[in-house]
Structures are given as C-alpha cells and as structure tokens.
Amino acid sequence: LCTGGSVTDLVQGLRSRGARLSNNQIAYILRETVQALVFLHENHCMHRDIKGHNILLTETGHVKLVDFGVSSHLAATMARRNTSVGTPYWMAPEVIACEQQLDQSYDSRCDVWSVGITAIELAEGDPPLCELHPMRALFQIPRNPPPKLSHPEQYSSMLSDFISECLVKDLEQRPFSKELVTHPFLKSVGPYVDQIRQDLRSEIARQREDGRAPSQAIATTKYGKLKSDRKSKPQKMYMDDLAALDVLTEDAIVEQLQKRYETNQIYTYIGDILIAVNPFSQVGLYTTQHQRKYTGQARSDNPPHIFAIADAAHQALVHQRQNQAIVISGESGSGKTESANLLLKQLVYLGKAVTKNLEERILQVNPIMEAFGNARTGINANSSRFGKYLELTMARSGKVNGARIFVYLLEQSRVVKQADGEGNFHVFYYMYDGLQAEGRLEEYYLHPSYRKTHRYLQETATLPKTNVDRWKQLLASFRVLGFKDDEVDMVNRVLAAILNLGDIEFGEMDSNDNTDTAWR
C-alpha cells in the first residue's frame, strides 16, 4: 500500500506553505524511480507515463513506481514502438512525433525524457508548459529547446546537469536508464537515505494532519485522442498547423477548421499560410494584451493569430534584413478588410515610430481608403471594391519611418451604376448626409430633396446618423494626415460634381430648335 500519496501531492503540499523538497530528497526520489526503470527496461518493458502522479510513497518513505496503463512490452531491449501515448507535458518529442509521422518510432529512452521532466516537477511543483492547454504543449515540445529549471540557482548544479542529461531531444544521443544510475546527483544521496526517509515520513504525517487538497485531473493522449481526465471520453485532437496532417484533403481541412471554429479558434495555420474564418462577431482577440502576447515570440508559443504573422514578418525584417510581403486574399465577406486593418495595427505597434504622430497618420490611412474604396454589395455591407498595396518602410532598428499606398483595380464602374440592393462607394453617402447635418448642401449645389433622386445615390440600409458619424471620422483622418481646409473642400466639390453629373440627361435636339432645352 502506498498510503503516503504521490510525490506530486507531496510537492504541492510543501508549496502551499512556501516550502519545497531539498536537493537530497529530490535526488532520493529520482534515484528510486530510475532504479525501477532499469528493472523494467531490462525486462523489455517501457512505462511511457513517468510523472509525479505515478511515483508514490509508502508510510515508511519508500518510493514505488505505479500505473502501467499505457506501458508496452518489447520483444528486445532495443525494440521500438510507434504509438503516441502518455501525458502531454511529460511526453518525449519522439513519442509526440509518432502521432503525425508514421515512419517515426522510439525506444525505452522515452522514459528517460519523462524522468527529466519529473525532476523539474519535483523542484518547481509543475512540469514545463503546464500553463498551456495540453494540445498546445504537444505542439511546442518538439519545437522548443529542452526545458530547464526556471531558478537553477536555488538547487544543486548537479540537478541541472542531471536534467540536461535526460532532456536531450535527439533520441540517439540520450542515455539509457542504466547510465543514469551512475550520475553524481543520484549517487551522492546514498549516505543520507535513512534520514531522507524519516523526513519524508514526517512530512507525510504533517500533510495528512493538515489535510490535502484533491489532485487535479491530468490529461492523457492515446491513438490521436485527448482525454481531459481518466473518466472523460477521448476527444480527437485538432491541431494548429494543418500541414502536419498525414492526409491533406478538402474534407480533412474543413473538419479541422469547423472543430476549431466551434471552440472560438478562428485562426489556423497551413505551413506559412494563416487561414481566418470570419466569426462576424467580436471575439476579444485584438486587445493590447494580445498585442504584447504576440511580440517577439516564436510562432509555436501561442495559438495561431494574425498578430503572429505580423510579428514573424517584423522579426525576419529586423534580423534577416530581408524585405517581407504579406498577401491577404479571400472571398467577399471573408474579413480581408478587417484583417488588413489588424495587420497594420500590429505592425505599427511592433515598429513604434519615433514620433506618435507618424503612427497615427499611418493608421488613419485605412478609414480614408475604406470610405473611397468600399461599398455595399448583395452579401457584404462593407465590401472592398479595390485592391491596395501598402508599403511600410522601417529603419534597421525595426522602427516605422514611413508608409506608401498604391491603389489599383478600383471598380470605377460602380460610381455610375450599381446592381439592385447594392450601393455606391461609402464616401458619397458620408459626404451627403454629413453636409446635410451641417446645413451645407447648397454650398455644393446639392439639395435635400435630391437624397432619393440623385442617380448615383441609391438608397442603402446605412442610417444617415451613422453616415454623419463616419463623415466626422473621415474629416478627422484628413486632418491627421495634414489636409488643409481648402484641400478638403476641393475633395467635397469633386464628389459633389460627380453626383451632379450623374443627374444630367441627354436627348436628341430638334434641328429647328435653337434653344438649349433639349438637355438638362
């Protein structure tokens, strides 16, 4: 009977009162665990789930390795397996790789990696990446450098060395369990075993008297499915990067995107491509906190996000000194306009300009471009009817020092004719309703009664009040960009002239009529 509980419970109990295991206690627990592994491996058995929860203590302070639910019997000492099973945070990179790469395999040294993670758990109370969802941890373990102690100065240097011995990502370079037995950290504890067991017995008794908090459920994975705890039903895992799929078909992609969308994961990678599924609602993914979260990070550090694309481009520009290009493409209503705005927002945030005014001027370009280039269509109330190429220029330090916009493919025919239920470019409605609210329509030869009769101003669902607000925002953007009042007035006159030209009607002139009444 192991009534002393698991070493995870022991560590958590110590941490709850600001204490921790001593170097000798950690060395003792690891020594006993490694000796158990040597016995298993010599008898051709891989445990495949080494962690603090499966290392139990007896009343006398002895250590037992338990729970062989996912262990595997091998035909020989060097035999291999290719089933991805275990508890995510403790799983070795080669075991995780078997989930997506059918030609991958591993041997008993996967348990050695788990011992290294358990060593960190014993010292710090939690395994590395424990703050992440288990699925995210599975993505990061193969990509990240081997974990280390967060505060190595608090522990013996031999413990750090032991951990680095265990956490060698290259399986072929990682030692076998029988080689770990001779590590100085484990050997040094020999003379103190009796005292350590006495200390552990005292701590067990103390925690039993104080009462232990129930252990948190631990997620496990097997055959490509994730169980949040032992009693839950296994759920298929859906990944951040679909390029890792064995079979990349349309059905597989759609299934992955749908399942991620149902959990509010609207972004998904396919290699260097970011797919965005428009939620048509606010999902709270673009706050200042998110901007900081996606600054100077590896792509695997966080869930897929358009800010991660901006950060990757900025890092490559600064560190590799190579120009970067980001192409945004998609169907009408897919969110291209909003994505472009968010991308620009993050790039300007990353490359903070020397002057705040420059940042504001760059960001205020988008409202102007949308006013003059976006319109209502049958399926999208704010459809971009143009293509644009925005060029940000940055100094070697990564600071934004300028921007240029090239506009092309403007749907000019929309000015003179729109399909039923569609509208002209937004700016015409903004200007008309804005001038009407200011009582200035007559300055531009426009009359309130013409609101429904101007040929180029078909009615749209946009309310006049909304147009007035956006007109004020447009004027504010003009001011930020340095437009003078007379220049804004000239823009208004050109727009008003276009509306008036649209009302001209032409007819055939009677040859005997010398008047100008044949046209108006």
Side-chain angles (χ1 to χ4, degrees):
L1 295 178
C2 299
T3 53
S6 72
V7 296
T8 295
D9 294 335
L10 181 73
V11 171
Q12 294 296 337
L14 286 166
R15 191 164 69 166
S16 67
R17 65 172 196 272
R20 62 174 187 260
L21 291 174
S22 68
N23 284 293
N24 282 341
Q25 289 171 333
I26 294 173
Y28 167 70
I29 294 171
L30 292 174
R31 189 191 75 162
E32 301 294 289
T33 303
V34 171
Q35 288 177 346
L37 275 184
V38 171
F39 176 81
L40 290 175
H41 293 169
E42 287 179 345
N43 286 276
H44 307 158
C45 183
M46 283 189 290
H47 190 283
R48 298 200 295 189
D49 201 19
I50 304 293
K51 59 187 177 187
H53 290 78
N54 292 339
I55 303 173
L56 302 190
L57 298 167
T58 67
E59 288 283 354
T60 58
H62 286 79
V63 178
K64 302 293 182 181
L65 181 60
V66 304
D67 194 348
F68 296 85
V70 295
S71 62
S72 175
H73 188 267
L74 303 172
T77 303
M78 296 295 291
R80 292 181 173 240
R81 285 287 183 268
N82 62 359
T83 305
S84 181
V85 298
T87 307
Y89 306 110
W90 288 264
M91 286 173 67
E94 64 272 14
V95 179
I96 297 172
C98 289
E99 178 60 42
Q100 301 301 330
Q101 303 174 38
L102 300 180
D103 60 340
Q104 292 292 309
S105 62
Y106 55 89
D107 60 27
S108 60
R109 284 172 288 185
C110 67
D111 288 337
V112 172
W113 175 279
S114 300
V115 169
I117 299 298
T118 302
I120 296 177
E121 178 192 9
L122 294 179
E124 300 184 343
D126 292 304
L129 305 178
C130 65
E131 73 281 1
L132 301 181
H133 186 277
M135 198 177 301
R136 287 216 52 77
L138 288 175
F139 297 144
Q140 294 200 26
I141 290 170
R143 298 185 178 99
N144 290 358
K148 299 179 180 179
L149 290 171
S150 300
H151 300 285
E153 70 281 356
Q154 297 178 358
Y155 299 93
S156 165
S157 60
M158 289 190 295
L159 173 58
S160 295
D161 185 74
F162 176 82
I163 292 172
S164 64
E165 286 275 341
C166 295
L167 301 184
V168 176
K169 294 189 71 173
D170 184 354
L171 172 64
E172 303 302 334
Q173 301 300 319
R174 195 182 307 151
F176 288 92
S177 57
K178 63 182 179 181
E179 298 176 76
L180 290 180
V181 175
T182 61
H183 192 280
F185 183 63
L186 303 188
K187 292 182 66 176
S188 65
V189 78
Y192 311 104
V193 170
D194 291 339
Q195 181 61 48
I196 292 171
R197 287 175 179 167
Q198 177 60 42
D199 293 341
L200 289 176
R201 286 197 295 269
S202 300
E203 182 60 31
I204 290 169
R206 178 175 185 167
Q207 292 191 16
R208 181 180 289 119
E209 184 178 344
D210 293 342
R212 283 180 173 173
S215 300
Q216 294 183 346
I218 299 295
T220 58
T221 176
K222 188 174 184 179
Y223 304 125
K225 294 186 177 181
L226 187 72
K227 292 181 64 175
S228 57
D229 56 67
R230 291 185 179 275
K231 297 181 179 180
S232 65
K233 184 178 179 180
Q235 300 291 328
K236 186 174 181 180
M237 293 188 292
Y238 297 95
M239 57 195 62
D240 287 352
D241 191 343
L242 304 191
L245 290 173
D246 285 333
V247 180
L248 198 62
T249 64
E250 181 176 346
D251 289 342
I253 292 174
V254 170
E255 180 190 7
Q256 292 275 341
L257 295 178
Q258 179 180 345
K259 293 299 182 181
R260 291 177 61 78
Y261 183 82
E262 289 171 356
T263 59
N264 291 326
Q265 294 285 334
I266 66 171
Y267 292 115
T268 306
Y269 294 123
I270 300 185
D272 292 333
I273 299 170
L274 178 71
I275 295 178
V277 181
N278 194 344
F280 294 100
S281 63
Q282 296 296 327
V283 289
L285 292 176
Y286 313 109
T287 63
T288 302
Q289 181 181 0
H290 282 87
Q291 288 188 284
R292 291 195 296 265
K293 183 178 178 181
Y294 288 89
T295 299
Q297 302 296 315
R299 194 177 81 162
S300 61
D301 287 347
N302 296 298
H305 199 290
I306 194 164
F307 288 170
I309 298 295
D311 183 59
H314 187 258
Q315 288 193 51
L317 182 76
V318 173
H319 300 300
Q320 300 175 20
R321 307 297 183 190
Q322 293 180 348
N323 294 334
Q324 302 295 306
I326 302 173
V327 178
I328 301 176
S329 179
E331 296 184 355
S332 182
S334 61
K336 298 187 298 297
T337 298
E338 187 66 19
S339 294
N341 292 343
L342 292 168
L343 199 60
L344 181 61
K345 172 184 176 181
Q346 184 67 359
L347 286 170
V348 172
Y349 174 84
L350 295 170
K352 295 185 183 298
V354 178
T355 63
K356 185 70 174 177
N357 180 258
L358 178 57
E359 292 182 25
E360 293 178 353
R361 293 174 67 185
I362 293 173
L363 292 175
Q364 289 303 318
V365 167
N366 272 333
I368 296 176
M369 298 300 297
E370 289 184 25
F372 282 83
N374 289 18
R376 171 181 292 275
T377 65
I379 60 174
N380 187 357
N382 188 37
S383 178
S384 297
R385 312 313 302 167
F386 70 105
K388 70 178 179 183
Y389 177 82
L390 170 64
E391 182 178 272
L392 280 178
T393 58
M394 296 187 176
R396 287 184 173 273
S397 62
K399 300 291 186 183
V400 174
N401 56 20
R404 294 190 299 172
I405 287 184
F406 304 89
V407 181
Y408 56 97
L409 298 179
L410 181 65
E411 191 182 57
Q412 297 175 348
S413 60
R414 180 167 292 271
V415 174
V416 298
K417 184 174 178 60
Q418 306 95 42
D420 292 340
E422 297 196 353
N424 211 326
F425 292 109
H426 293 329
V427 69
F428 291 109
Y429 305 98
Y430 297 171
M431 181 200 67
Y432 190 96
D433 290 336
L435 292 176
Q436 185 177 50
E438 297 171 2
R440 299 175 58 206
L441 284 175
E442 292 185 358
E443 291 182 31
Y444 300 94
Y445 301 98
L446 300 172
H447 195 278
S449 63
Y450 289 174
R451 180 65 171 88
K452 297 182 180 180
T453 59
H454 275 303
R455 185 173 298 166
Y456 293 169
L457 275 184
Q458 290 194 24
E459 285 295 312
T460 69
T462 307
L463 298 176
K465 183 180 183 305
T466 301
N467 289 337
V468 171
D469 291 340
R470 290 176 178 171
W471 172 247
K472 293 178 180 177
Q473 293 173 5
L474 184 61
L475 293 178
S477 296
F478 277 133
R479 285 193 292 271
V480 170
L481 289 178
F483 280 69
K484 299 177 181 178
D485 290 343
D486 59 337
E487 292 172 330
V488 174
D489 178 68
M490 181 59 67
V491 172
N492 293 344
R493 294 193 179 279
V494 171
L495 294 173
I498 293 173
L499 293 180
N500 285 317
L501 285 171
D503 295 332
I504 295 177
E505 296 181 358
F506 295 87
E508 185 175 353
M509 181 182 292
D510 190 328
S511 59
N512 296 322
D513 191 350
N514 294 324
T515 68
D516 293 335
T517 58
W519 66 276
R520 62 183 176 88

